[in-house]
Amino acid sequence: LPEQREAYRRAFRLFLDPDSYPIYAHCWGGADRTGTFFLLLEALCGVCWEDLLLDYEITSLSVWGDRSREMELFQNLTAFLD
C-alpha cells in the first residue's frame, strides 16, 4: 500500500539522520509493521539471515502468540524480499 511505503520511507529517513539519535522504538508485538521495519533495517546493516529469522521467532513471546519462519505470512514476506 502506498501509505505503508511512505511510512517506511519516513522511518528509514529518520534512521539516516544523525540528529535523530538516540532512537527508541517500542511495539507491543514487534512482528508485523515494526518487526518488518527492523528486519529490513537489520538486514541492511548486515545481520545474517539466521539471526533475522531467530529475531522474528522471538516475537512468539509477545501477546500475539507463536511466530515461526514457516508461517505463510512470513514466507510471503521473505519471498517478496527475495
Side-chain angles (χ1 to χ4, degrees):
L1 298 172
E3 61 272 8
Q4 290 176 336
R5 285 190 186 119
E6 182 55 33
Y8 280 104
R9 191 174 293 119
R10 286 192 316 268
F12 278 112
R13 283 188 187 127
L14 180 71
F15 276 81
L16 285 170
D17 182 359
D19 292 334
S20 299
Y21 288 87
I23 296 173
Y24 173 79
H26 180 270
C27 180
W28 202 26
D32 298 315
R33 292 170 302 252
T34 304
T36 299
F37 173 77
F38 280 100
L39 180 132
L40 294 171
L41 183 64
E42 290 175 348
L44 289 169
C45 290
V47 173
C48 74
W49 186 242
E50 184 62 27
D51 287 345
L52 293 172
L53 295 174
L54 291 172
D55 193 31
Y56 176 78
E57 290 179 321
I58 287 173
T59 64
S60 293
L61 301 174
S62 75
V63 298
W64 303 114
D66 291 343
R67 302 285 183 160
S68 166
R69 64 185 80 188
E70 304 302 324
M71 293 178 67
E72 182 179 356
L73 183 64
F74 191 70
Q75 290 291 314
N76 291 342
L77 171 64
T78 58
F80 174 77
L81 293 175
D82 280 344

